[in-house]
Amino acid sequence: MCGIIGYLGDKQAAPILMDGLKRLEYRGYDSAGVAVLETSIHSSLTKSERKVDDLIAKIKANEPTGHLGIGHTRWATHGKPTIVNAHPHSDCYARIMVVHNGIIENFAELKAELEGKGHEFTSETDSEVIPHLVEDLYKGDLVTAVRQALQKVRGAYAVALYSHDDPELLIGARLNAPLVVGLGESEWFVASDITAIIPYTKRVLVLGEGEMVAISPVGPVVSSLDGVAVDPKIVHVDWDVSQAQKGGFDHFMLKEIQESPEAAANVLRGRIGDDGAVHFNEFEASDAELERIRNVKLLGMGTSLHAAMIGEYVIEDWAGIPAKADDASEFRYRRPLVGEDTLAVVITQSGETADTIMGMRQALERGALTVAVTNVVASSAAREAQGVIYLQAGPEISVASTKTFICHVISQYLLAMRLAEVRHRLPQERVAELVATLRGLPEAIRSVLALEPRIKELAQKYSRYSNFIFVGRGINYPVALEGALKLKEISYVHAEGTSGGTLKHGAIALLDEQFPVVAICTESPVREKMVSNVHEMAARDAPALALVTEGDRSLDGIAADLLVMPPADEPASAILNTVALQLFAYHVAVALGTDVDQPRNLAKSVTVE
């Protein structure tokens, strides 16, 4: 959570910082602030307790001049979204300016210690201890003081800071939270996300865990927190600036749903042959290594957990290996039965999800083979796992994941096929069917996108309801969970998902004429069971919106409304039904007038517990 941007170079810092914050606003938008060093004795500090646009209006009214600055957009953890709690924070004399992302777990004891020495705090945040720690330890060498301060901190942090005493020095550091350095021509950037800097450079230096960077006009110097020099790792980012802009759509979410066909094509590109053989460039586990796998753990949170549940289904079905999707935040606090015969699949859009990263480390400690499935090159998950499957979906700006979920699911299909391949589990005819299904996905998704007018009509009709239940079976059970999650995330309407069999074990008590059901009844081995479930719902007067396959008339006159879906086999149906439910959630939210791209209380990358 939270967005960080910093700049040192030959241009004016303020416009670059404001542009960066707009690109980072999806990471947190409770409040925002910018500090620019104008002279060696003065920084211009501007804050807003509202969104970035309000901050920009304030800054433009009296734009500061200077070539060094930092900015921050906040997702509140400690303290409400107020001017005082907004970043940047400073020391007692307003000479050290700091922005911070993460949580300092021992901030209370550090704060008490500093207050005992006479330091005065103005905010409720944990972040404010950092500039005071640096001030307390400063003996003429800012880099050393920062290093010593961070050694005292427990928790997670990405920080960017500068001091009036070193007017040509920008420092960044990270532990359990993302931070990258952009390398331009006579200018340098630090940011919590590559999205903020791609208009200016595509050369990015990636900081590792527990590393810091000191940037001066001669360039960046990377070291560990104990002062050991580190060879910088530089990557080239192939995203285009236009990918991080709306491109004429009303919202990023709609744009990114519309990009799903291209994203599906990209995640497949170069990974599957005509014979069904699957190859991952960054996950080169040998056949012998994969043959040793006796169980698969799939770790994720939220949308990623739903993708993991689909992975569980297909890995067991196609590869014949016991698989279990796990809530990573619970997995990390158990004593899971994980060993050298376990494959741990870490599913995280950002590659920085705190609970998922910790779960992966736990699996690594127990000897598991690990692979990260992520969209972000050189993210923490990608660097720490033994292999990585990149989604190749391009930047996803809207907080609610859409196209990346589609790519996560396709990645699970590819992984399941790879595991099945080394066990010779699938007949060649079935392999050929799956190859055809996967290659046909981009066009199949386009056929669902063409249903948007009908989906919008249904969404406007159902937007008057305050409660929903989404129901599915088999591979479409996690799709139902994801459909409910999307609706509640962006519309603030109560929605829950359940399996068709579980419905009668409690949730059916909720149903009446004011409690609609979204039922996934497309063609599958359990379609008849779902049809029976819809009859049970209709008997309780619940309005049922049923997704049915073209040509299926079994729910005519039973369901209140039908959304007719194109024919597809079960693996494809999970993706096509998901796209339809994403559009449904989007249009309900639009009808209700909510902030679709930046829903309240949420952030794109959850880097704290």
Side-chain angles (χ1 to χ4, degrees), residues 2 91 127 602:
C2 304
D91 66 321
S127 306
L602 296 180

Side-chain angles (χ1 to χ4, degrees), residues 271-273 275-280 285-288 290-291 314-315 318-321 413-428 431 434-435:
R271 287 177 168 165
I272 186 168
D275 60 355
V278 174
H279 175 70
F280 302 112
S286 67
D287 288 3
L290 295 179
E291 281 180 307
V314 294
I315 288 170
W318 301 351
I321 307 173
Y413 291 169
L414 292 171
L415 180 60
M417 291 179 69
R418 174 77 178 111
L419 293 171
E421 177 186 321
V422 300
R423 285 169 172 72
H424 309 289
R425 280 273 307 181
L426 293 175
Q428 196 55 42
V431 172
L434 289 173
V435 171

